[in-house]
């Protein structure tokens, strides 16, 4: 027996004054309503109602139970209404983790527009380039860049991410323009700390080679800093076009060996559950899908410049 259904049947009998009226109100048969109340009494081992052919009335225990049952059912109905409201009108705090450079350059406008459309959703944005744990660290959504490995998490691609090998014209004038992958071992490479250099493309092999003539490696866990160093003539950098595109369009950087560029990776929205997904999460996933365009606007700017 469903205790809540039985409780509703009992309360309805009391408020409606009879089993038949309660059955009509609940759109059930009088027999089923009577069965619910009888089983409720059996489970409680107490009589709740005095029954006569003309009317029903509460016992002392029934009066006590009725007061508390009403409060319980009101609380349940209020909770259901609130949760339903969350699903229809998303509310609450949306915790997002995102890569530092991408967030600084490309999330501010998106999040502003998202909150204009869903004003009851608060956003808690945490910037970090390390691989965060969606569940353990309590995030609703994690934006990740790369080739994602299979896992129990749900990942939806938001945009393709193009990696570009770049250098400043002043650097290339001084050290020469690489014509083939092997030439990279004679150049200073600005290392991104989280870059997986175990890629299949030959470009990763040569970028990993140590140039004995150039001392003092530069490692950093932020792409904007590395792109800034490349603009200043510090070396060659491999970074996503969403970071480098502005410098390329200005002429501060030029692409090197474009025919050897690594395969594009992806920007993914990663979240923990597909079933019973909070509406604030579902609305954000729907909002960010296609937001940046195809190709993304940072790549389109480079395409327009080259045409």
């Amino acid at each position: 027996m469903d205790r809540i259904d039985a409780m509703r049947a009992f309360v309805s009998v009391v408020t409606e004054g009879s089993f038949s009226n309660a059955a009509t109100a609940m759109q059930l048969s009088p027999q089923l309503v009577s069965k619910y109340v009888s089983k409720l009494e059996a489970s409680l081992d107490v009589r709740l109602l005095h029954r006569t052919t003309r009317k029903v009335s509460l016992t002392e225990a029934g009066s006590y139970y009725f007061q508390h049952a009403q409060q319980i059912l009101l609380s349940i109905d209020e909770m259901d209404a609130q949760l339903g409201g969350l699903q229809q009108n998303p509310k609450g705090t949306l915790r997002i983790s995102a890569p530092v450079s991408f967030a600084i350059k490309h999330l501010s406008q998106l999040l502003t527009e998202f909150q204009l459309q869903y004003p009851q959703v608060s956003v808690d944005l945490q910037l970090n380039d390390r691989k965060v744990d969606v569940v353990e660290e309590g995030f609703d959504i994690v934006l990740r860049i790369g080739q994602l490995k299979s896992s129990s998490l749900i990942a939806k691609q938001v945009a393709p991410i193009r990696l570009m090998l770049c250098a400043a014209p002043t650097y290339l004038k001084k050290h020469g323009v690489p014509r083939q992958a092997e030439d990279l071992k004679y150049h200073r490479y600005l290392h991104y700390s989280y870059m997986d250099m175990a890629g299949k493309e030959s470009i990763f092999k040569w970028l990993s080679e140590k140039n004995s003539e150039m001392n003092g490696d530069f490692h950093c866990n932020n792409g904007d800093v590395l792109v800034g160093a490349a603009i200043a003539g510090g070396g060659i950098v491999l970074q996503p076009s969403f970071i480098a595109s502005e410098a390329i369009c200005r002429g501060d950087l030029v692409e090197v060996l474009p025919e050897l560029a690594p395969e594009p990776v992806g920007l993914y929205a990663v979240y923990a559950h597909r079933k019973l997904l909070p509406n604030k999460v579902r609305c954000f996933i729907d909002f960010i899908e296609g937001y940046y365009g195809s190709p993304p606007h940072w790549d389109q700017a480079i395409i327009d410049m080259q045409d």
Side-chain angles (χ1 to χ4, degrees):
M1 179 190 68
D2 187 303
R3 178 61 66 90
I4 301 300
D5 287 340
M7 191 181 295
R8 289 191 187 280
F10 166 71
V11 169
S12 184
V13 169
V14 176
T15 55
E16 298 295 334
S18 70
F19 282 89
S20 59
N21 290 344
T24 300
M26 298 183 69
Q27 297 183 324
L28 299 174
S29 68
Q31 293 80 7
L32 183 56
V33 173
S34 179
K35 181 179 179 181
Y36 271 136
V37 175
S38 295
K39 288 197 171 184
L40 179 62
E41 290 177 321
S43 68
L44 295 171
D45 195 25
V46 65
R47 181 173 293 279
L48 301 174
L49 294 171
H50 294 299
R51 300 164 175 83
T52 67
T53 55
R54 294 185 178 182
K55 66 176 183 177
V56 294
S57 59
L58 288 167
T59 65
E60 182 180 357
S63 179
Y64 175 84
Y65 189 83
F66 175 71
Q67 294 176 16
H68 289 277
Q70 272 191 313
Q71 294 175 6
I72 291 170
L73 292 175
L74 285 173
S75 296
I76 291 173
D77 291 342
E78 182 181 358
M79 177 183 65
D80 289 347
Q82 289 177 350
L83 291 176
L86 287 174
Q87 289 301 95
Q88 297 299 320
N89 303 298
K91 301 176 182 178
T93 299
L94 185 68
R95 296 198 70 233
I96 303 172
S97 173
V100 177
S101 293
F102 184 85
I104 291 172
K105 291 182 176 294
H106 302 293
L107 271 188
S108 298
Q109 181 173 341
L110 179 146
L111 291 174
T112 298
E113 293 177 7
F114 174 76
Q115 288 192 286
L116 286 173
Q117 185 167 333
Y118 301 104
Q120 296 185 72
V121 177
S122 299
V123 172
D124 179 4
L125 176 65
Q126 301 293 318
L127 306 188
N128 205 315
D129 286 335
R130 68 177 175 83
K131 185 178 179 180
V132 303
D133 190 304
V134 180
V135 178
E136 289 295 325
E137 298 184 49
F139 287 104
D140 295 300
I141 296 173
V142 170
L143 298 180
R144 285 183 183 163
I145 295 172
Q147 299 283 6
L148 296 190
K149 298 178 181 179
S150 60
S151 73
S152 60
L153 300 174
I154 309 302
K156 186 166 188 176
Q157 183 165 329
V158 173
I161 299 296
R162 175 184 173 194
L163 297 173
M164 304 181 73
L165 195 64
C166 307
T170 53
Y171 172 87
L172 296 174
K173 184 177 180 179
K174 181 177 180 180
H175 298 283
V177 178
R179 303 298 179 186
Q180 55 189 354
E182 292 87 340
D183 294 342
L184 292 173
K185 68 178 180 179
Y186 302 112
H187 288 269
R188 186 171 190 243
Y189 175 57
L190 305 172
H191 298 261
Y192 178 57
S193 303
Y194 297 134
M195 180 74 72
D196 182 4
M197 298 298 285
K200 296 180 180 179
E201 289 91 354
S202 63
I203 192 172
F204 291 113
K205 171 188 173 183
W206 296 107
L207 289 175
S208 300
E209 291 286 325
K210 172 69 176 178
N211 183 352
S212 59
E213 296 180 3
M214 290 191 175
N215 298 320
D217 285 345
F218 185 13
H219 293 257
C220 183
N221 65 351
N222 180 264
D224 278 296
V225 172
L226 293 171
V227 167
I231 292 172
I236 292 177
V237 68
L238 180 64
Q239 280 294 300
S241 56
F242 69 76
I243 298 178
S245 62
E246 291 182 4
I248 290 173
C249 290
R250 291 194 307 265
D252 294 337
L253 292 178
V254 296
E255 188 174 8
V256 176
L257 298 173
E259 69 278 6
L260 298 180
E263 287 294 317
V265 292
L267 170 67
Y268 294 89
V270 180
Y271 50 100
H273 304 290
R274 189 184 299 275
K275 293 182 179 180
L276 300 178
L277 193 66
N279 208 29
K280 61 184 179 182
V281 177
R282 189 180 304 280
C283 288
F284 183 82
I285 297 297
D286 292 342
F287 190 88
I288 199 173
E289 183 178 11
Y291 180 87
Y292 296 109
S294 182
H297 61 78
W298 50 82
D299 284 340
Q300 188 63 52
I302 297 175
I303 294 170
D304 293 342
M305 178 199 70
Q306 294 172 341
D307 288 343

